[in-house]
Amino acid sequence: MQTLQLDLGERSYPIHIGQGLLQQPELVTPHIRGKSAVVVSNTTVAPLYLHTTEAMLTGLKHSAAILPDGEEYKNLDTLNQIYTHLLENKADRKTTLIALGGGVVGDMTGYAAASYQRGVNFIQIPTTLLAMVDSSVGGKTGVNHPLGKNMIGAFHQPQCVLIDTDTLNTLADRELSAGIAEVVKYGLIRDPAFLTWLDENMDGLLARDPQTLTYAIYRSCEHKAEVVAADERESGQRALLNLGHTFGHAIEASMGYGQWLHGEAVATGMVMAAQMSQQMGWLGADEVAYVRHILQRARLPVDPPAQMSGEDFARYMSVDKKVLDGTLRLVLMKSLGESIVTADFDPDALKRVLQG
């Protein structure tokens, strides 16, 4: 097991990474302050790991709220199911919520924890690669709206993050690739050496080699922890973690949540960000081709949906969370491994990228 600490003063917490961690209740129970817990999971993950998770809660009053599985259910109606379960089971301010699942479960459980009785504790137990390397760390919580992804939410940090890499053995290949997109992102925005390592070890990641996966997860979480510790509420450099997301969120919203996996949309979005960076004169054609290459090696899409027009992209991008005072900001690359958030770009250049 390897452990990282996300340093946020009184809100600091550990991130445990390793095999068989769901068999180690001593990693979880110290972070449950009261006498009760509620596990939130979904119909896919619960049959696999709910029993093992509940076994860690021996001696505590506990129950489980099981949600439907899919990005299309990341909405206020499903969120209300969590609130209803908490109220029916008389959860109080000392009840700890435990998110057992992927990013959708983690985001919704975190937002329920942030808002139930004005805030209760929660713990992240991510079971997808994407959730392990991104959404479970950093305290971003929320739900989608038909007009925009993650537009309703709150910053609410977990008490700990427990990453049992054994849960990746049951992850679908498509979901594994979607998670690799977020891993590649860290190399593109701040770690060119890691990007080279990923290119050299992509076959091992796709084959689920435990040591390769563990290193990729640890390095990704290390980057995420460093950025969040420096900018918890995304007033500055944390926005760099959204490379590809402005384009990707537009794809998800336009196509209908769940049609494209988040990581698939982000992969295509990162290629579009690379193309925009080329328009700015920062990346050359070879570097844009390399971004496409490494994502294609991860079996990810690199071209936007044919049915999406430039106007479709512009409409959804106009409600992106990086729009400030009516001005769109983009995360672009000055070079592979160095990124920037900027509103200083040529609108015509952006139109060229959006129109393909």
Side-chain angles (χ1 to χ4, degrees), residues 41-320:
S41 191
N42 65 32
T43 52
T44 299
V45 176
L48 298 170
Y49 301 113
L50 179 60
H51 177 75
T52 307
T53 302
E54 289 184 320
M56 293 195 292
L57 306 177
T58 302
L60 295 168
K61 176 187 174 185
H62 59 85
S63 61
I66 309 302
L67 309 177
D69 182 19
E71 184 80 30
E72 63 268 35
Y73 299 107
K74 187 181 173 182
N75 54 40
L76 290 170
D77 288 339
T78 308
L79 180 71
N80 204 45
Q81 294 180 34
I82 303 177
Y83 295 139
T84 299
H85 181 92
L86 295 174
L87 289 164
E88 288 177 346
N89 286 271
K90 298 180 172 55
D92 58 33
R93 285 182 171 174
K94 288 192 173 182
T95 298
T96 295
L97 274 57
I98 299 175
L100 176 68
V104 171
V105 167
D107 281 7
M108 287 202 296
T109 304
Y111 188 45
S115 50
Y116 183 70
Q117 295 197 14
R118 298 186 177 87
V120 299
N121 289 342
F122 84 112
I123 290 168
Q124 288 272 21
I125 303 181
T127 59
T128 68
L129 180 59
L130 191 145
M132 290 174 182
V133 301
D134 186 47
S135 59
S136 69
V137 176
K140 275 189 177 181
T141 73
V143 296
N144 299 333
H145 187 279
L147 297 180
K149 184 177 170 70
N150 292 331
M151 296 305 290
I152 304 164
F155 288 99
H156 191 59
Q157 300 294 342
Q159 299 301 299
C160 76
V161 180
L162 186 75
I163 298 174
D164 187 338
T165 56
D166 285 344
T167 60
L168 296 178
N169 294 330
T170 54
L171 190 65
D173 289 343
R174 185 182 172 194
E175 293 275 2
L176 183 74
S177 289
I180 293 174
E182 293 282 5
V183 178
V184 170
K185 175 192 73 178
Y186 293 108
L188 290 175
I189 63 172
R190 68 197 310 260
D191 192 347
F194 186 43
L195 193 63
T196 300
W197 181 89
L198 287 169
D199 198 9
E200 294 171 349
N201 290 274
M202 189 62 71
D203 291 342
L205 287 175
L206 292 171
R208 304 170 198 249
D209 175 70
Q211 287 186 322
T212 306
L213 280 170
T214 297
Y215 178 78
I217 294 166
Y218 182 88
R219 193 76 185 103
S220 298
C221 288
E222 196 171 34
H223 279 301
K224 184 76 179 275
E226 289 174 2
V227 173
V228 172
D231 179 23
E232 180 181 4
R233 293 182 174 266
E234 203 171 302
S235 58
Q237 67 168 294
R238 185 169 180 176
L240 297 175
L241 296 173
N242 290 316
L243 177 69
H245 286 58
T246 300
F247 300 102
H249 286 170
I251 293 172
E252 290 183 84
S254 178
M255 297 301 292
Y257 295 120
Q259 296 303 306
W260 280 54
L261 295 179
H262 175 67
E264 294 171 338
V266 166
T268 294
M270 288 191 294
V271 172
M272 297 177 77
Q275 292 168 339
M276 187 62 192
S277 301
Q278 183 182 15
Q279 292 281 334
M280 299 288 287
W282 295 333
L283 294 187
D286 288 349
E287 291 167 307
V288 176
Y290 183 79
V291 175
R292 292 177 64 93
H293 155 79
I294 194 167
L295 292 169
Q296 285 176 316
R297 286 205 61 206
R299 301 171 186 166
L300 287 160
V302 293
D303 294 306
Q307 57 267 57
M308 274 190 77
S309 66
E311 289 74 20
D312 292 332
F313 270 104
R315 181 170 65 255
Y316 285 103
M317 289 169 68
S318 70
V319 294
D320 185 81

